[in-house]
Amino acid sequence: MIRFLHTADWQIGTQFGQFEPDEAAHLAQARFDTVRRIADDAAARKVDAVLVAGDVFDLQTVSDTVIRRLFAALQAFTGPWIMLPGNHDAALVESVWTRAQRLNCVPPNVRLVLAPGVVLLDACRCAVLCAPLTQRITYDDTTGFFDTVETPPDYHRVGLAHGSVSGILQEGIDSSNPISPTRAASARLDYLALGDWHGHFRVDERTWYAGTHEQDRFRANDPGFMLDVTLSEPGAQPLVDAVRVGQYQWHRWDESISVPTDVDSLKARLATLGGSDVLRVSVSGTAALADAEALHVAVEETRARVRALRVDLSGLQVLPTTEDLAELGAQSGYLAKVVARLRGMQEDPQSDPQQVKRAAEALLLLARFQRELPREARSA
């Protein structure tokens, strides 16, 4: 019997440029922290090995410090680590892997597989057939040699590769590196451990994507897992357990506001989020001035609670009601004319989208200034 962890797509060194610097720093750090969690779990579960199916690093040009930190994060598990280059960190003549070797920071229990071949784990009678990417994009199936390679009798045959299973992952794949959907059967594999798709995914009973260990995109494809795989004997069906290890969960909300209860509902949903959440929210529709102000406050309160937030309120039109105007002292005179003009800019179908956005922001800013004045000072 052999038991191993299957993980992939760590993409250490990701910059997260879409977020504020402090948010990006926390998200980048989480990728190291979750690798440490995998190492801790591997030790606690007493697995025979950890297989990393490509894209350990996000870029070939990550700093030497990042390389050293990554390998230091593995120390809790002293068993074999088998690491495969993917399309982001392909095994070029000069690569992040050759730099790691020159830095002499790769622990002796970590096997970097920089050329196609077989790694034998004799202690657990397992042959790992490895198909590293030696360039970022290939058009031939790098796992083709699995079908003919010989392994010791009575050894488990486990494949390790990085790419897209043809006809399965056609939408949003990371690269065009093709893998046959029948490879596990044609190569007589007990299990085929894949990387490239960022969510954990069962292709068939013997072929699995582990997905990225720490979510990095606003896509609901089950990221943030590692796979705990047990093979009882050669030829037996693998037992695969998806184990959540990711620290953060990413959400993408596209909200439409038309009545005040829609604002209340969105505020209630925002209130459920906390420090383990990353949110991207886009709001469109129309709202009274008071409701729009309440929504802005709720968004800013959420920003203080969640790990990272991206918000787009440019699609929300702010349309003051009679009650809003009375509260602001803007029922007549110059202030009323300003409000009317800003409303007109939002309602005009010929208005530029940026102009519509600025008009809504101006109304909210005007409301804030007016509310800061004593009531008796508010006049037209």
Side-chain angles (χ1 to χ4, degrees):
M1 185 183 81
I2 179 175
R3 183 183 183 187
F4 58 86
L5 298 184
H6 168 199
T7 179
D9 297 285
W10 293 350
Q11 293 190 272
I12 299 298
T14 300
Q15 296 299 304
F16 299 104
Q18 61 183 305
F19 296 103
E20 294 298 320
D22 62 325
E23 296 173 330
H26 283 286
L27 296 174
Q29 178 60 41
R31 308 193 79 74
F32 288 101
D33 294 341
T34 305
V35 168
R36 292 189 185 91
R37 189 173 300 116
I38 291 171
D40 288 339
D41 275 6
R45 293 167 185 264
K46 299 180 180 179
V47 299
D48 296 295
V50 179
L51 309 186
V52 190
D55 282 359
V56 173
F57 297 97
D58 187 54
L59 297 166
Q60 300 282 9
T61 55
V62 297
S63 70
D64 290 354
T65 299
V66 166
I67 295 173
R68 292 181 187 276
R69 289 186 65 201
L70 180 279
F71 288 107
L74 309 179
Q75 63 183 353
F77 178 62
T78 58
W81 294 81
I82 302 179
M83 290 192 170
L84 196 79
N87 58 298
H88 281 256
D89 53 7
L92 309 176
V93 174
E94 175 62 27
S95 70
V96 64
W97 304 103
T98 57
R99 280 201 291 138
Q101 291 172 326
R102 285 199 301 273
L103 290 170
N104 197 31
C105 64
V106 182
N109 61 316
V110 177
R111 177 71 178 268
L112 308 183
V113 185
L114 306 185
V118 179
V119 174
L120 295 180
L121 301 176
D122 295 317
C124 51
R125 301 181 68 81
C126 180
V128 184
L129 287 63
C130 301
L133 290 181
T134 55
Q135 56 191 58
R136 185 176 177 86
I137 295 177
T138 64
Y139 297 98
D140 297 323
D141 186 343
T142 59
T143 67
F145 80 96
F146 288 2
D147 290 357
T148 56
V149 71
E150 295 297 325
T151 55
D154 299 325
Y155 270 50
H156 298 281
R157 285 172 64 92
V158 174
L160 184 62
H162 189 91
S164 174
V165 175
S166 303
I168 301 295
L169 302 176
Q170 297 178 346
E171 181 182 353
I173 59 174
D174 267 0
S175 67
S176 59
N177 305 300
I179 295 175
S180 168
T182 61
R183 183 62 64 211
S186 64
R188 308 175 310 284
L189 299 177
D190 296 305
Y191 184 85
L192 177 52
L194 297 178
D196 192 30
W197 185 248
H198 280 211
H200 83 278
F201 182 79
R202 177 187 184 274
V203 176
D204 59 42
E205 64 181 18
R206 298 185 185 277
T207 306
W208 289 75
Y209 283 93
T212 183
H213 68 319
E214 187 67 45
Q215 188 169 359
D216 57 357
R217 304 176 186 180
F218 292 105
R219 183 181 293 167
N221 60 352
D222 284 334
F225 288 83
M226 66 178 182
L227 302 181
D228 185 337
V229 182
T230 301
L231 302 173
S232 59
E233 61 183 6
Q237 182 174 327
L239 176 63
V240 182
D241 181 26
V243 181
R244 177 171 287 282
V245 291
Q247 183 174 350
Y248 298 124
Q249 296 187 46
W250 293 41
H251 316 274
R252 178 172 180 171
W253 297 352
D254 295 304
E255 304 291 328
S256 180
I257 303 297
S258 58
V259 294
T261 53
D262 292 336
V263 174
D264 294 335
S265 176
L266 179 53
K267 287 169 58 181
R269 291 182 67 197
L270 290 170
T272 65
L273 301 179
S276 62
D277 295 301
V278 177
L279 174 65
R280 176 179 178 179
V281 58
S282 299
V283 182
S284 61
T286 59
L289 182 55
D291 289 331
E293 287 183 288
L295 180 56
H296 273 254
V297 170
V299 165
E300 292 309 309
E301 290 175 344
T302 301
R303 189 186 303 279
R305 293 195 312 273
V306 300
R307 180 66 281 157
L309 174 66
R310 291 188 67 194
V311 58
D312 180 7
L313 302 179
S314 62
L316 182 66
Q317 294 186 35
V318 180
L319 304 178
T321 64
T322 301
E323 291 78 10
D324 291 329
L325 298 177
E327 174 68 19
L328 299 177
Q331 294 172 294
S332 61
Y334 176 73
L335 192 56
K337 292 178 181 179
V338 171
V339 171
R341 183 176 180 184
L342 293 172
R343 285 192 58 171
M345 290 168 61
Q346 295 184 97
E347 296 171 329
D348 184 355
Q350 303 300 318
S351 291
D352 178 85
Q354 286 300 314
Q355 188 178 39
V356 173
K357 177 183 177 181
R358 285 192 290 269
E361 291 173 346
L363 278 168
L364 290 167
L365 189 60
L366 178 62
R368 193 186 80 188
F369 288 158
Q370 283 294 101
R371 293 190 196 285
E372 289 174 354
L373 292 173
R375 182 174 294 274
E376 60 273 13
R378 301 175 192 172
S379 64

